[in-house]
Structure formats: C-alpha cells, structure tokens
Amino acid sequence: MIPNQVKLGIKKALPIGMGYFPLGLAFGVIAENAGLTANQVGLMSVLLFSGSGQFIAVALISAGASFWTIIFTILLVNSRYLLFSATISRFVKKLPAGLTALICHGLTDETFVVSTTHFQQNDVDARFWLSLNITSHLVWISSSILGAVVGVFIPNLDKFGLNFALPAMFIALFFMTAAHLKAVYCGIIAGLISLLLIHWGMSEANVILATVFAASVGVVLNKWIPGS
Amino acid sequence: MDTGIIMLILALGGTSFLIRFLPAVFLNKFALPKIVEEWLSYVPVATMAAIVVPELLQGEGRVIYFSWSNLNLLSAIPTIAVAAKTKNLGYSLATGMGTMALLRFII
C-alpha cells in the first residue's frame, strides 16, 4: 500500500517531470557532445540537480574554464537557492535534520514553488515533499542519462516545441507564486531589472540581483501602500 | 582529465547542497523578523520573472527582440493566458510546447 501523501507527491511531480524530461534529454545530448560520459552526466544530475546550473557548467567545461571559475559561476547562478532555502526554513521546523537535508537536496525552482504553494493550504508532510522531489529528480536523472546514451539518434527535438518547456514552466511558476497584485508588480520590476542587468553584461548575476532588488521594492511598496 | 571532471562534479554537488541546506536548517531555529518573512515572500515571484522575462525577449543576440521570428515571445502569449487562468503547470506546459510546435510547423 502506498500512502496517500506519497501518491499525491508523485501526482504533483508529473507535470514537473513533463517539463524535465525534454530538458534532461537535451542536457544529456549537449553534455555528451561536450565530451562527458553517460556516467558523468548521471552523477552530475544526481548531485547538482539544477537545469540552468548544469547547462552552464557544461558550456564552461567545453569552453575550457578553470575549476574555480566554474564553481563560482554556478554558485552565483544558483544563489537563488539560498533564498528558497531560507523561505522553506519555516516548513522544516519539526523535521529531523537528516530528512531536511534530503528534502533540501531536491530543492529546484519547480519543486520549491509546487511544494510551498501546496503547504499554503495543507499541513507540511515529509512524505508528500520527499515523493514530489524524488519523482522529479528521478525523471531528471533518467532523461539526462538517456540523452547522453541515445543522443546521437534523437532527431531535432525543437520542432516538437520541446525547447519551450523551460520558459513555459517558468511562466506557470510565476503565476503560481503571484498571489496578489503587489506580487505581480514585484515580478514585473524583477523582470525589467533582470533585462537591464543582462544589457549591462551581468548575465550570471542577473537573477539573484534582480530578485534581491525587486523583493526589497516589494517590502517598501507594502509599507507605503497599505491594504490593496 | 577524467578525475578532474569527477572532482568538479563532486565540488559542484557539494556547494549546491550547502546553499540549499544551510539557510533552511539554521534559520528554522528561531522566528524570522516579520519584515524578513515578508521580503522572502516576494522572492519566488521575483525569481521566476527574473528568469523568464529575458528568456522570452532575447533573440538574435539582442536583449530585446521584438519580431515575428521571436517564437518564444509568440508562444508565451497563449501560455501566459492559460497560466494566469489555471495556475496549472501541466496545462501551461502543454499550451506552450503545443504552440511552439505549431509555430515551428507553420514557419
């Protein structure tokens, strides 16, 4: 018998998996072309579990970047996880540290939004959370290995619209997290700042800097414009 | 070279784990000030927008690329409509990828 919370976690992970599958395939193909073996691809997907992080890491590897450049860049690109982790601290208060570690390792943009949205209306349940994260992670691992193994035989996936999986996911995640009008304004500010930072050539730090700035604006706006 | 890649992957995994784990496990010991909680509540929506807005607008080497050939931007229109209405990841994905596939087929 599978507990209901586990089933619910798997069910909520399915749309995430639907997005991860083409992305993982694409990642596997690109990583294999860059000279990584299927085992290395699998290890990276198990340990790093970060779409944008892994794509950038492989791009840097094939560009011959140094060890520390790669580590530092990925830390910067993934620094939003620090903020996500801080956000979930209130949900893991009652969980043992080992379980928290396991859950935190599965923290991605997608699992973060789906779990925190879920916990706004439901009690925190480690079984739900773990099965959501692990299911998503398994899809990511297996599809990236598959991409690395059979990559050369896969036709151009772009014509099936798979290259839009990531933007489509983030559009959905945006609306899932935009709980009220102020949050939407905050998002618009973040988007504009992000563009501006890229325009200024800061295409690694744009997400974290835009987030920090826009969240601060959100707090200030809320102070000045109460209600609504 | 091979051990170099493995070392790199281990280091990437280790540092990523730390940034995912340390804030959650240290900040849960005490209640965060209200203003910090509020600040954090804006983080998800700001992050998603900061990632997706450039994805939709960039193209042909330009930061903002308004063109009928910017398929990401065109595919975003129905996706945004569906996402705003349903707030459902699966429907939004299907709409987005479906539109993109259709545009690729036509153009």
Side-chain angles (χ1 to χ4, degrees), chain A residues 15-16 18-19 40 44 47-49 61 67 70-71 74 78 80-87 89 92-93 101 104-105 107 112-113 158-161 163-165 167 170-172 174-178 183 186-187 190-191 194-195 198-199 207 211-212 215-216 218-219 222, chain B residues 2 5-13 15-17 19-21 23-24 27-28 30 32 35 37-40 42-58 63-64 72 75-76 79-80 83-84 87-90 92-94 96-97 100-101 104:
Chain A
I16 298 180
M18 200 173 119
Q40 290 165 347
M44 203 188 233
L47 295 179
L48 189 48
F49 190 22
I61 290 171
F67 181 88
I70 300 175
I71 298 285
I74 304 307
N78 284 347
R80 61 186 187 278
Y81 295 153
L82 280 170
L83 304 178
F84 293 170
S85 178
T87 306
S89 65
V92 300
K93 277 193 161 70
C104 287
H105 181 60
L107 191 65
F112 168 72
V113 171
D158 286 0
K159 77 170 175 230
F160 301 111
N163 59 326
F164 199 67
F170 280 110
I171 290 170
F174 174 80
F175 285 102
M176 288 164 75
T177 51
C186 183
S194 178
L195 277 177
I198 291 176
H199 177 67
V207 173
T211 301
V212 167
S216 308
V219 171
N222 210 17
Chain B
D2 241 26
I5 292 266
I6 300 290
M7 284 302 294
L8 179 67
I9 293 172
L10 292 177
L12 286 171
T15 47
S16 292
F17 174 73
I19 59 174
R20 282 171 162 136
F21 177 61
L27 296 179
N28 77 5
F30 44 86
L32 292 171
I35 192 149
E37 292 246 345
E38 193 198 330
W39 190 86
L40 286 172
Y42 289 111
V43 164
V45 73
T47 305
M48 303 312 146
I51 295 174
V52 78
V53 170
E55 290 253 6
L56 300 180
L57 294 179
Q58 278 181 311
V63 177
I64 296 180
N72 271 7
S75 305
T79 313
I80 287 171
K87 294 177 194 286
N88 181 300
L89 192 55
S92 310
L93 258 170
M97 298 197 314
M100 178 57 90
R104 291 248 168 186

